[in-house]
Amino acid sequence: MSSTFDTIANIIAETCDIPRDSITPESHAINDLGIDSLDFLDIAFAIDKAFGIKLPLEQWTQEVNDGKATTDQYFVLKNLAARIDELVAAKGA
Amino acid sequence: MRLEYFQLIDRVTDLNLADRTIRTENTVPSASTVFEGHFPGYPLMPGVLLAETMAQTSGWLVVALNKYDRMPFLAALKDAKFRTFVVPGMVLVVEAKLEHDGSGYAVTNAKITSSGKPICDATITLRVMPFPNDEIRQHMREQARRLGVPSVEPANG
């Protein structure tokens, strides 16, 4: 069974035509991989379906805009994977 | 359909919030300035307007599901296929189903048929945002009444 990170990386590689081996847990989806907001909607859709969750993109965006969070917390892929694991765990609780 | 004004929906004939589906019926006008250029002597409904018709139908579904509290904007169109020419006078039945209700976006599958024959279909992504201002929100409510959108209690009255 692949890890959460692997699933995300595969989705990004397929959705954005980015070489899979250039995507690492330390990659920042926006700053390093150059993913824009429209492409990220496609990624969010694929993640939502793959994990059966609803990524709270609006909440995250608001937190970043309000200075309560940094983009690193949500868009560095290892952190994104951790957020997804939390959402999956919360769904099953 | 008032092509020049991008008012492409004539009436909402079915809205099922439980199944997250909508159906609209729309008649292509017999005359329009659009047809003067597309094409002289051979009027065809442009594919982009068929795509917009599917997007607007999907949009009304999203508006209703959000009880007039959020407004959808077309963000992406995927796997769009235009299978048959559409000419003045044709009645277009548009059906859309919400495929996914995401955070700040929605994805629908939409199709157009005419007399039961497939015209076009696509997967549509809409950004779903707060209304930019009260004027647009009020305009949408008025449009909903005009189109016969089945009553949905608006959020905040």
Side-chain angles (χ1 to χ4, degrees), chain B residues 12 59-60 63-64 66-72 131 133-157:
Chain B
V12 174
W60 281 111
V63 167
N66 284 280
K67 297 185 176 181
Y68 296 83
D69 197 38
R70 314 268 286 172
M71 183 157 178
F131 278 97
N133 56 54
D134 285 342
E135 183 182 354
I136 294 178
R137 183 172 171 165
Q138 184 60 30
H139 172 75
M140 292 295 285
R141 288 186 185 180
E142 290 168 1
Q143 289 296 308
R145 281 191 283 273
R146 181 181 69 81
L147 300 177
V149 179
S151 181
V152 176
E153 183 182 347
N156 304 319

PDB file of all heavy atoms in Angstrom, chain B residues 12 59-60 63-64 66-72 131 133-157:
ATOM      1  N   VAL B  12     -35.658  26.443 -15.930  1.00  0.00           N
ATOM      2  CA  VAL B  12     -35.221  25.259 -15.182  1.00  0.00           C
ATOM      3  C   VAL B  12     -36.437  24.353 -15.047  1.00  0.00           C
ATOM      4  O   VAL B  12     -37.455  24.748 -14.472  1.00  0.00           O
ATOM      5  CB  VAL B  12     -34.667  25.654 -13.797  1.00  0.00           C
ATOM      6  CG1 VAL B  12     -34.350  24.414 -12.973  1.00  0.00           C
ATOM      7  CG2 VAL B  12     -33.427  26.524 -13.955  1.00  0.00           C
ATOM      8  N   GLY B  59     -24.085  25.905 -12.968  1.00  0.00           N
ATOM      9  CA  GLY B  59     -24.018  26.998 -12.002  1.00  0.00           C
ATOM     10  C   GLY B  59     -25.295  27.164 -11.214  1.00  0.00           C
ATOM     11  O   GLY B  59     -25.254  27.379 -10.000  1.00  0.00           O
ATOM     12  N   TRP B  60     -26.442  27.034 -11.890  1.00  0.00           N
ATOM     13  CA  TRP B  60     -27.709  27.157 -11.163  1.00  0.00           C
ATOM     14  C   TRP B  60     -27.879  26.039 -10.143  1.00  0.00           C
ATOM     15  O   TRP B  60     -28.442  26.246  -9.058  1.00  0.00           O
ATOM     16  CB  TRP B  60     -28.895  27.204 -12.130  1.00  0.00           C
ATOM     17  CG  TRP B  60     -29.051  28.556 -12.731  1.00  0.00           C
ATOM     18  CD1 TRP B  60     -28.835  28.936 -14.020  1.00  0.00           C
ATOM     19  CD2 TRP B  60     -29.426  29.757 -12.037  1.00  0.00           C
ATOM     20  NE1 TRP B  60     -29.035  30.283 -14.172  1.00  0.00           N
ATOM     21  CE2 TRP B  60     -29.410  30.815 -12.972  1.00  0.00           C
ATOM     22  CE3 TRP B  60     -29.761  30.038 -10.709  1.00  0.00           C
ATOM     23  CZ2 TRP B  60     -29.728  32.127 -12.629  1.00  0.00           C
ATOM     24  CZ3 TRP B  60     -30.072  31.342 -10.362  1.00  0.00           C
ATOM     25  CH2 TRP B  60     -30.059  32.367 -11.314  1.00  0.00           C
ATOM     26  N   VAL B  63     -25.698  27.135  -7.256  1.00  0.00           N
ATOM     27  CA  VAL B  63     -26.346  28.239  -6.545  1.00  0.00           C
ATOM     28  C   VAL B  63     -27.455  27.703  -5.638  1.00  0.00           C
ATOM     29  O   VAL B  63     -27.566  28.083  -4.470  1.00  0.00           O
ATOM     30  CB  VAL B  63     -26.922  29.269  -7.544  1.00  0.00           C
ATOM     31  CG1 VAL B  63     -27.866  30.231  -6.838  1.00  0.00           C
ATOM     32  CG2 VAL B  63     -25.800  30.045  -8.212  1.00  0.00           C
ATOM     33  N   ALA B  64     -28.273  26.812  -6.179  1.00  0.00           N
ATOM     34  CA  ALA B  64     -29.389  26.273  -5.396  1.00  0.00           C
ATOM     35  C   ALA B  64     -28.882  25.435  -4.222  1.00  0.00           C
ATOM     36  O   ALA B  64     -29.402  25.535  -3.109  1.00  0.00           O
ATOM     37  CB  ALA B  64     -30.299  25.443  -6.290  1.00  0.00           C
ATOM     38  N   ASN B  66     -26.249  25.808  -2.646  1.00  0.00           N
ATOM     39  CA  ASN B  66     -25.672  26.721  -1.645  1.00  0.00           C
ATOM     40  C   ASN B  66     -26.677  27.756  -1.152  1.00  0.00           C
ATOM     41  O   ASN B  66     -26.293  28.722  -0.487  1.00  0.00           O
ATOM     42  CB  ASN B  66     -24.434  27.409  -2.222  1.00  0.00           C
ATOM     43  CG  ASN B  66     -23.223  26.515  -2.270  1.00  0.00           C
ATOM     44  OD1 ASN B  66     -22.544  26.322  -1.270  1.00  0.00           O
ATOM     45  ND2 ASN B  66     -22.966  25.921  -3.426  1.00  0.00           N
ATOM     46  N   LYS B  67     -27.950  27.556  -1.521  1.00  0.00           N
ATOM     47  CA  LYS B  67     -29.035  28.422  -1.045  1.00  0.00           C
ATOM     48  C   LYS B  67     -28.751  29.896  -1.295  1.00  0.00           C
ATOM     49  O   LYS B  67     -28.934  30.740  -0.407  1.00  0.00           O
ATOM     50  CB  LYS B  67     -29.319  28.152   0.441  1.00  0.00           C
ATOM     51  CG  LYS B  67     -29.803  26.731   0.679  1.00  0.00           C
ATOM     52  CD  LYS B  67     -30.183  26.515   2.128  1.00  0.00           C
ATOM     53  CE  LYS B  67     -30.766  25.119   2.319  1.00  0.00           C
ATOM     54  NZ  LYS B  67     -31.182  24.858   3.699  1.00  0.00           N
ATOM     55  N   TYR B  68     -28.248  30.190  -2.480  1.00  0.00           N
ATOM     56  CA  TYR B  68     -28.022  31.573  -2.896  1.00  0.00           C
ATOM     57  C   TYR B  68     -27.005  32.298  -2.014  1.00  0.00           C
ATOM     58  O   TYR B  68     -27.030  33.509  -1.899  1.00  0.00           O
ATOM     59  CB  TYR B  68     -29.337  32.355  -2.944  1.00  0.00           C
ATOM     60  CG  TYR B  68     -30.290  31.816  -3.982  1.00  0.00           C
ATOM     61  CD1 TYR B  68     -31.109  30.729  -3.701  1.00  0.00           C
ATOM     62  CD2 TYR B  68     -30.344  32.378  -5.253  1.00  0.00           C
ATOM     63  CE1 TYR B  68     -31.957  30.206  -4.656  1.00  0.00           C
ATOM     64  CE2 TYR B  68     -31.197  31.862  -6.213  1.00  0.00           C
ATOM     65  CZ  TYR B  68     -31.999  30.781  -5.908  1.00  0.00           C
ATOM     66  OH  TYR B  68     -32.826  30.266  -6.857  1.00  0.00           O
ATOM     67  N   ASP B  69     -26.142  31.526  -1.379  1.00  0.00           N
ATOM     68  CA  ASP B  69     -25.140  32.140  -0.522  1.00  0.00           C
ATOM     69  C   ASP B  69     -23.767  32.197  -1.191  1.00  0.00           C
ATOM     70  O   ASP B  69     -22.864  32.856  -0.705  1.00  0.00           O
ATOM     71  CB  ASP B  69     -25.042  31.351   0.788  1.00  0.00           C
ATOM     72  CG  ASP B  69     -24.340  32.144   1.876  1.00  0.00           C
ATOM     73  OD1 ASP B  69     -24.564  33.375   1.940  1.00  0.00           O
ATOM     74  OD2 ASP B  69     -23.569  31.544   2.638  1.00  0.00           O
ATOM     75  N   ARG B  70     -23.625  31.486  -2.296  1.00  0.00           N
ATOM     76  CA  ARG B  70     -22.342  31.426  -2.972  1.00  0.00           C
ATOM     77  C   ARG B  70     -22.580  31.508  -4.470  1.00  0.00           C
ATOM     78  O   ARG B  70     -23.635  31.111  -4.972  1.00  0.00           O
ATOM     79  CB  ARG B  70     -21.630  30.100  -2.661  1.00  0.00           C
ATOM     80  CG  ARG B  70     -21.649  29.721  -1.190  1.00  0.00           C
ATOM     81  CD  ARG B  70     -20.460  30.202  -0.452  1.00  0.00           C
ATOM     82  NE  ARG B  70     -19.304  29.399  -0.786  1.00  0.00           N
ATOM     83  CZ  ARG B  70     -18.072  29.709  -0.384  1.00  0.00           C
ATOM     84  NH1 ARG B  70     -17.873  30.816   0.312  1.00  0.00           N
ATOM     85  NH2 ARG B  70     -17.054  28.948  -0.695  1.00  0.00           N
ATOM     86  N   MET B  71     -21.552  32.011  -5.171  1.00  0.00           N
ATOM     87  CA  MET B  71     -21.699  32.176  -6.609  1.00  0.00           C
ATOM     88  C   MET B  71     -20.611  31.373  -7.327  1.00  0.00           C
ATOM     89  O   MET B  71     -19.436  31.470  -6.975  1.00  0.00           O
ATOM     90  CB  MET B  71     -21.587  33.652  -6.993  1.00  0.00           C
ATOM     91  CG  MET B  71     -21.796  33.884  -8.467  1.00  0.00           C
ATOM     92  SD  MET B  71     -22.309  35.575  -8.795  1.00  0.00           S
ATOM     93  CE  MET B  71     -22.407  35.531 -10.589  1.00  0.00           C
ATOM     94  N   PRO B  72     -21.008  30.602  -8.332  1.00  0.00           N
ATOM     95  CA  PRO B  72     -20.028  29.826  -9.083  1.00  0.00           C
ATOM     96  C   PRO B  72     -19.479  30.604 -10.279  1.00  0.00           C
ATOM     97  O   PRO B  72     -20.195  31.395 -10.902  1.00  0.00           O
ATOM     98  CB  PRO B  72     -20.850  28.622  -9.559  1.00  0.00           C
ATOM     99  CG  PRO B  72     -22.246  29.125  -9.635  1.00  0.00           C
ATOM    100  CD  PRO B  72     -22.391  30.274  -8.689  1.00  0.00           C
ATOM    101  N   PHE B 131     -20.705  35.866  -2.963  1.00  0.00           N
ATOM    102  CA  PHE B 131     -21.132  36.826  -3.971  1.00  0.00           C
ATOM    103  C   PHE B 131     -20.248  38.073  -3.884  1.00  0.00           C
ATOM    104  O   PHE B 131     -19.980  38.562  -2.775  1.00  0.00           O
ATOM    105  CB  PHE B 131     -22.595  37.215  -3.774  1.00  0.00           C
ATOM    106  CG  PHE B 131     -23.554  36.227  -4.365  1.00  0.00           C
ATOM    107  CD1 PHE B 131     -24.141  35.248  -3.588  1.00  0.00           C
ATOM    108  CD2 PHE B 131     -23.860  36.269  -5.718  1.00  0.00           C
ATOM    109  CE1 PHE B 131     -25.011  34.327  -4.132  1.00  0.00           C
ATOM    110  CE2 PHE B 131     -24.735  35.353  -6.274  1.00  0.00           C
ATOM    111  CZ  PHE B 131     -25.319  34.376  -5.478  1.00  0.00           C
ATOM    112  N   ASN B 133     -20.922  41.065  -4.550  1.00  0.00           N
ATOM    113  CA  ASN B 133     -21.649  42.174  -3.926  1.00  0.00           C
ATOM    114  C   ASN B 133     -23.138  41.822  -3.877  1.00  0.00           C
ATOM    115  O   ASN B 133     -23.589  40.855  -4.501  1.00  0.00           O
ATOM    116  CB  ASN B 133     -21.417  43.496  -4.677  1.00  0.00           C
ATOM    117  CG  ASN B 133     -21.794  43.393  -6.144  1.00  0.00           C
ATOM    118  OD1 ASN B 133     -22.917  42.999  -6.474  1.00  0.00           O
ATOM    119  ND2 ASN B 133     -20.870  43.741  -7.029  1.00  0.00           N
ATOM    120  N   ASP B 134     -23.893  42.610  -3.146  1.00  0.00           N
ATOM    121  CA  ASP B 134     -25.318  42.328  -2.976  1.00  0.00           C
ATOM    122  C   ASP B 134     -26.095  42.510  -4.274  1.00  0.00           C
ATOM    123  O   ASP B 134     -27.127  41.868  -4.477  1.00  0.00           O
ATOM    124  CB  ASP B 134     -25.909  43.238  -1.887  1.00  0.00           C
ATOM    125  CG  ASP B 134     -25.504  42.781  -0.499  1.00  0.00           C
ATOM    126  OD1 ASP B 134     -25.088  41.611  -0.370  1.00  0.00           O
ATOM    127  OD2 ASP B 134     -25.578  43.594   0.439  1.00  0.00           O
ATOM    128  N   GLU B 135     -25.605  43.402  -5.138  1.00  0.00           N
ATOM    129  CA  GLU B 135     -26.292  43.652  -6.402  1.00  0.00           C
ATOM    130  C   GLU B 135     -26.341  42.378  -7.248  1.00  0.00           C
ATOM    131  O   GLU B 135     -27.388  42.024  -7.799  1.00  0.00           O
ATOM    132  CB  GLU B 135     -25.576  44.771  -7.159  1.00  0.00           C
ATOM    133  CG  GLU B 135     -26.270  45.159  -8.461  1.00  0.00           C
ATOM    134  CD  GLU B 135     -25.495  46.253  -9.198  1.00  0.00           C
ATOM    135  OE1 GLU B 135     -24.515  46.770  -8.645  1.00  0.00           O
ATOM    136  OE2 GLU B 135     -25.899  46.561 -10.331  1.00  0.00           O
ATOM    137  N   ILE B 136     -25.220  41.696  -7.339  1.00  0.00           N
ATOM    138  CA  ILE B 136     -25.183  40.461  -8.128  1.00  0.00           C
ATOM    139  C   ILE B 136     -26.049  39.392  -7.465  1.00  0.00           C
ATOM    140  O   ILE B 136     -26.778  38.658  -8.137  1.00  0.00           O
ATOM    141  CB  ILE B 136     -23.727  39.966  -8.281  1.00  0.00           C
ATOM    142  CG1 ILE B 136     -22.927  40.964  -9.113  1.00  0.00           C
ATOM    143  CG2 ILE B 136     -23.699  38.584  -8.918  1.00  0.00           C
ATOM    144  CD1 ILE B 136     -21.478  40.591  -9.279  1.00  0.00           C
ATOM    145  N   ARG B 137     -25.978  39.341  -6.164  1.00  0.00           N
ATOM    146  CA  ARG B 137     -26.776  38.345  -5.437  1.00  0.00           C
ATOM    147  C   ARG B 137     -28.273  38.569  -5.701  1.00  0.00           C
ATOM    148  O   ARG B 137     -29.013  37.621  -5.972  1.00  0.00           O
ATOM    149  CB  ARG B 137     -26.473  38.450  -3.950  1.00  0.00           C
ATOM    150  CG  ARG B 137     -27.173  37.427  -3.102  1.00  0.00           C
ATOM    151  CD  ARG B 137     -26.651  37.511  -1.687  1.00  0.00           C
ATOM    152  NE  ARG B 137     -27.417  36.699  -0.780  1.00  0.00           N
ATOM    153  CZ  ARG B 137     -27.016  36.365   0.433  1.00  0.00           C
ATOM    154  NH1 ARG B 137     -25.848  36.753   0.864  1.00  0.00           N
ATOM    155  NH2 ARG B 137     -27.775  35.642   1.204  1.00  0.00           N
ATOM    156  N   GLN B 138     -28.684  39.824  -5.637  1.00  0.00           N
ATOM    157  CA  GLN B 138     -30.085  40.141  -5.895  1.00  0.00           C
ATOM    158  C   GLN B 138     -30.442  39.832  -7.348  1.00  0.00           C
ATOM    159  O   GLN B 138     -31.528  39.301  -7.643  1.00  0.00           O
ATOM    160  CB  GLN B 138     -30.341  41.619  -5.586  1.00  0.00           C
ATOM    161  CG  GLN B 138     -31.796  42.040  -5.734  1.00  0.00           C
ATOM    162  CD  GLN B 138     -32.731  41.278  -4.810  1.00  0.00           C
ATOM    163  OE1 GLN B 138     -32.313  40.859  -3.720  1.00  0.00           O
ATOM    164  NE2 GLN B 138     -33.960  41.057  -5.236  1.00  0.00           N
ATOM    165  N   HIS B 139     -29.530  40.142  -8.247  1.00  0.00           N
ATOM    166  CA  HIS B 139     -29.751  39.854  -9.664  1.00  0.00           C
ATOM    167  C   HIS B 139     -29.952  38.350  -9.873  1.00  0.00           C
ATOM    168  O   HIS B 139     -30.837  37.933 -10.632  1.00  0.00           O
ATOM    169  CB  HIS B 139     -28.561  40.350 -10.484  1.00  0.00           C
ATOM    170  CG  HIS B 139     -28.588  39.941 -11.914  1.00  0.00           C
ATOM    171  ND1 HIS B 139     -29.424  40.523 -12.844  1.00  0.00           N
ATOM    172  CD2 HIS B 139     -27.914  38.968 -12.587  1.00  0.00           C
ATOM    173  CE1 HIS B 139     -29.242  39.952 -14.023  1.00  0.00           C
ATOM    174  NE2 HIS B 139     -28.336  39.002 -13.894  1.00  0.00           N
ATOM    175  N   MET B 140     -29.159  37.551  -9.202  1.00  0.00           N
ATOM    176  CA  MET B 140     -29.274  36.102  -9.358  1.00  0.00           C
ATOM    177  C   MET B 140     -30.619  35.602  -8.843  1.00  0.00           C
ATOM    178  O   MET B 140     -31.232  34.706  -9.431  1.00  0.00           O
ATOM    179  CB  MET B 140     -28.128  35.401  -8.626  1.00  0.00           C
ATOM    180  CG  MET B 140     -26.762  35.643  -9.242  1.00  0.00           C
ATOM    181  SD  MET B 140     -26.595  34.943 -10.898  1.00  0.00           S
ATOM    182  CE  MET B 140     -26.423  33.214 -10.521  1.00  0.00           C
ATOM    183  N   ARG B 141     -31.080  36.195  -7.745  1.00  0.00           N
ATOM    184  CA  ARG B 141     -32.394  35.780  -7.215  1.00  0.00           C
ATOM    185  C   ARG B 141     -33.501  36.138  -8.204  1.00  0.00           C
ATOM    186  O   ARG B 141     -34.441  35.364  -8.405  1.00  0.00           O
ATOM    187  CB  ARG B 141     -32.648  36.454  -5.876  1.00  0.00           C
ATOM    188  CG  ARG B 141     -31.791  35.901  -4.758  1.00  0.00           C
ATOM    189  CD  ARG B 141     -32.182  36.513  -3.429  1.00  0.00           C
ATOM    190  NE  ARG B 141     -31.287  36.087  -2.373  1.00  0.00           N
ATOM    191  CZ  ARG B 141     -31.398  36.470  -1.114  1.00  0.00           C
ATOM    192  NH1 ARG B 141     -32.353  37.302  -0.758  1.00  0.00           N
ATOM    193  NH2 ARG B 141     -30.551  36.038  -0.209  1.00  0.00           N
ATOM    194  N   GLU B 142     -33.372  37.317  -8.811  1.00  0.00           N
ATOM    195  CA  GLU B 142     -34.389  37.721  -9.795  1.00  0.00           C
ATOM    196  C   GLU B 142     -34.339  36.799 -11.015  1.00  0.00           C
ATOM    197  O   GLU B 142     -35.377  36.414 -11.565  1.00  0.00           O
ATOM    198  CB  GLU B 142     -34.161  39.178 -10.204  1.00  0.00           C
ATOM    199  CG  GLU B 142     -34.473  40.163  -9.088  1.00  0.00           C
ATOM    200  CD  GLU B 142     -33.975  41.562  -9.386  1.00  0.00           C
ATOM    201  OE1 GLU B 142     -33.400  41.772 -10.481  1.00  0.00           O
ATOM    202  OE2 GLU B 142     -34.159  42.444  -8.527  1.00  0.00           O
ATOM    203  N   GLN B 143     -33.146  36.471 -11.434  1.00  0.00           N
ATOM    204  CA  GLN B 143     -33.004  35.553 -12.558  1.00  0.00           C
ATOM    205  C   GLN B 143     -33.604  34.185 -12.220  1.00  0.00           C
ATOM    206  O   GLN B 143     -34.227  33.541 -13.060  1.00  0.00           O
ATOM    207  CB  GLN B 143     -31.529  35.391 -12.935  1.00  0.00           C
ATOM    208  CG  GLN B 143     -30.917  36.613 -13.589  1.00  0.00           C
ATOM    209  CD  GLN B 143     -31.573  36.937 -14.922  1.00  0.00           C
ATOM    210  OE1 GLN B 143     -31.683  36.082 -15.790  1.00  0.00           O
ATOM    211  NE2 GLN B 143     -32.046  38.156 -15.073  1.00  0.00           N
ATOM    212  N   ALA B 144     -33.407  33.761 -10.990  1.00  0.00           N
ATOM    213  CA  ALA B 144     -33.947  32.461 -10.565  1.00  0.00           C
ATOM    214  C   ALA B 144     -35.462  32.440 -10.691  1.00  0.00           C
ATOM    215  O   ALA B 144     -36.046  31.448 -11.144  1.00  0.00           O
ATOM    216  CB  ALA B 144     -33.520  32.167  -9.127  1.00  0.00           C
ATOM    217  N   ARG B 145     -36.085  33.548 -10.308  1.00  0.00           N
ATOM    218  CA  ARG B 145     -37.552  33.623 -10.441  1.00  0.00           C
ATOM    219  C   ARG B 145     -37.946  33.582 -11.919  1.00  0.00           C
ATOM    220  O   ARG B 145     -38.895  32.911 -12.305  1.00  0.00           O
ATOM    221  CB  ARG B 145     -38.070  34.894  -9.774  1.00  0.00           C
ATOM    222  CG  ARG B 145     -38.166  34.788  -8.262  1.00  0.00           C
ATOM    223  CD  ARG B 145     -38.939  35.958  -7.675  1.00  0.00           C
ATOM    224  NE  ARG B 145     -38.120  37.158  -7.633  1.00  0.00           N
ATOM    225  CZ  ARG B 145     -37.304  37.463  -6.632  1.00  0.00           C
ATOM    226  NH1 ARG B 145     -37.201  36.655  -5.590  1.00  0.00           N
ATOM    227  NH2 ARG B 145     -36.590  38.570  -6.643  1.00  0.00           N
ATOM    228  N   ARG B 146     -37.192  34.297 -12.744  1.00  0.00           N
ATOM    229  CA  ARG B 146     -37.504  34.338 -14.173  1.00  0.00           C
ATOM    230  C   ARG B 146     -37.382  32.955 -14.817  1.00  0.00           C
ATOM    231  O   ARG B 146     -38.173  32.572 -15.677  1.00  0.00           O
ATOM    232  CB  ARG B 146     -36.550  35.316 -14.881  1.00  0.00           C
ATOM    233  CG  ARG B 146     -36.798  35.462 -16.381  1.00  0.00           C
ATOM    234  CD  ARG B 146     -35.814  36.433 -17.018  1.00  0.00           C
ATOM    235  NE  ARG B 146     -34.461  35.940 -17.061  1.00  0.00           N
ATOM    236  CZ  ARG B 146     -34.003  35.087 -17.983  1.00  0.00           C
ATOM    237  NH1 ARG B 146     -34.809  34.649 -18.932  1.00  0.00           N
ATOM    238  NH2 ARG B 146     -32.755  34.665 -17.959  1.00  0.00           N
ATOM    239  N   LEU B 147     -36.381  32.205 -14.350  1.00  0.00           N
ATOM    240  CA  LEU B 147     -36.124  30.893 -14.952  1.00  0.00           C
ATOM    241  C   LEU B 147     -37.004  29.794 -14.359  1.00  0.00           C
ATOM    242  O   LEU B 147     -36.993  28.670 -14.851  1.00  0.00           O
ATOM    243  CB  LEU B 147     -34.648  30.527 -14.757  1.00  0.00           C
ATOM    244  CG  LEU B 147     -33.617  31.483 -15.364  1.00  0.00           C
ATOM    245  CD1 LEU B 147     -32.217  31.042 -15.023  1.00  0.00           C
ATOM    246  CD2 LEU B 147     -33.804  31.557 -16.868  1.00  0.00           C
ATOM    247  N   GLY B 148     -37.708  30.142 -13.289  1.00  0.00           N
ATOM    248  CA  GLY B 148     -38.558  29.131 -12.667  1.00  0.00           C
ATOM    249  C   GLY B 148     -37.801  28.134 -11.830  1.00  0.00           C
ATOM    250  O   GLY B 148     -38.192  26.969 -11.724  1.00  0.00           O
ATOM    251  N   VAL B 149     -36.676  28.591 -11.246  1.00  0.00           N
ATOM    252  CA  VAL B 149     -35.941  27.691 -10.360  1.00  0.00           C
ATOM    253  C   VAL B 149     -36.848  27.325  -9.198  1.00  0.00           C
ATOM    254  O   VAL B 149     -37.380  28.223  -8.528  1.00  0.00           O
ATOM    255  CB  VAL B 149     -34.651  28.363  -9.834  1.00  0.00           C
ATOM    256  CG1 VAL B 149     -33.913  27.424  -8.889  1.00  0.00           C
ATOM    257  CG2 VAL B 149     -33.761  28.780 -10.986  1.00  0.00           C
ATOM    258  N   PRO B 150     -37.072  26.054  -8.955  1.00  0.00           N
ATOM    259  CA  PRO B 150     -37.905  25.642  -7.828  1.00  0.00           C
ATOM    260  C   PRO B 150     -37.424  26.305  -6.535  1.00  0.00           C
ATOM    261  O   PRO B 150     -36.241  26.508  -6.325  1.00  0.00           O
ATOM    262  CB  PRO B 150     -37.725  24.125  -7.767  1.00  0.00           C
ATOM    263  CG  PRO B 150     -37.410  23.749  -9.172  1.00  0.00           C
ATOM    264  CD  PRO B 150     -36.597  24.896  -9.725  1.00  0.00           C
ATOM    265  N   SER B 151     -38.366  26.652  -5.699  1.00  0.00           N
ATOM    266  CA  SER B 151     -38.076  27.449  -4.520  1.00  0.00           C
ATOM    267  C   SER B 151     -37.034  26.799  -3.632  1.00  0.00           C
ATOM    268  O   SER B 151     -37.141  25.644  -3.253  1.00  0.00           O
ATOM    269  CB  SER B 151     -39.355  27.659  -3.718  1.00  0.00           C
ATOM    270  OG  SER B 151     -39.099  28.442  -2.574  1.00  0.00           O
ATOM    271  N   VAL B 152     -36.016  27.582  -3.342  1.00  0.00           N
ATOM    272  CA  VAL B 152     -35.000  27.168  -2.393  1.00  0.00           C
ATOM    273  C   VAL B 152     -34.828  28.326  -1.435  1.00  0.00           C
ATOM    274  O   VAL B 152     -34.624  29.459  -1.850  1.00  0.00           O
ATOM    275  CB  VAL B 152     -33.653  26.890  -3.099  1.00  0.00           C
ATOM    276  CG1 VAL B 152     -32.593  26.551  -2.066  1.00  0.00           C
ATOM    277  CG2 VAL B 152     -33.802  25.762  -4.107  1.00  0.00           C
ATOM    278  N   GLU B 153     -34.929  28.025  -0.150  1.00  0.00           N
ATOM    279  CA  GLU B 153     -34.857  29.100   0.821  1.00  0.00           C
ATOM    280  C   GLU B 153     -33.481  29.754   0.785  1.00  0.00           C
ATOM    281  O   GLU B 153     -32.473  29.096   1.020  1.00  0.00           O
ATOM    282  CB  GLU B 153     -35.118  28.560   2.229  1.00  0.00           C
ATOM    283  CG  GLU B 153     -35.138  29.627   3.298  1.00  0.00           C
ATOM    284  CD  GLU B 153     -35.358  29.021   4.676  1.00  0.00           C
ATOM    285  OE1 GLU B 153     -35.731  27.857   4.754  1.00  0.00           O
ATOM    286  OE2 GLU B 153     -35.135  29.740   5.645  1.00  0.00           O
ATOM    287  N   PRO B 154     -33.426  31.048   0.455  1.00  0.00           N
ATOM    288  CA  PRO B 154     -32.120  31.706   0.433  1.00  0.00           C
ATOM    289  C   PRO B 154     -31.518  31.798   1.831  1.00  0.00           C
ATOM    290  O   PRO B 154     -32.245  31.953   2.808  1.00  0.00           O
ATOM    291  CB  PRO B 154     -32.441  33.110  -0.114  1.00  0.00           C
ATOM    292  CG  PRO B 154     -33.816  33.027  -0.683  1.00  0.00           C
ATOM    293  CD  PRO B 154     -34.515  31.948   0.088  1.00  0.00           C
ATOM    294  N   ALA B 155     -30.196  31.698   1.900  1.00  0.00           N
ATOM    295  CA  ALA B 155     -29.525  31.903   3.177  1.00  0.00           C
ATOM    296  C   ALA B 155     -29.679  33.357   3.584  1.00  0.00           C
ATOM    297  O   ALA B 155     -29.660  34.252   2.751  1.00  0.00           O
ATOM    298  CB  ALA B 155     -28.042  31.549   3.036  1.00  0.00           C
ATOM    299  N   ASN B 156     -29.824  33.609   4.842  1.00  0.00           N
ATOM    300  CA  ASN B 156     -29.957  34.972   5.374  1.00  0.00           C
ATOM    301  C   ASN B 156     -31.133  35.724   4.732  1.00  0.00           C
ATOM    302  O   ASN B 156     -31.034  36.883   4.404  1.00  0.00           O
ATOM    303  CB  ASN B 156     -28.672  35.770   5.161  1.00  0.00           C
ATOM    304  CG  ASN B 156     -27.487  35.074   5.769  1.00  0.00           C
ATOM    305  OD1 ASN B 156     -27.591  34.534   6.861  1.00  0.00           O
ATOM    306  ND2 ASN B 156     -26.384  35.045   5.052  1.00  0.00           N
ATOM    307  N   GLY B 157     -32.238  35.019   4.529  1.00  0.00           N
ATOM    308  CA  GLY B 157     -33.421  35.669   4.001  1.00  0.00           C
ATOM    309  C   GLY B 157     -33.328  35.965   2.548  1.00  0.00           C
ATOM    310  O   GLY B 157     -34.102  36.729   2.013  1.00  0.00           O
TER     311      GLY B 157
END
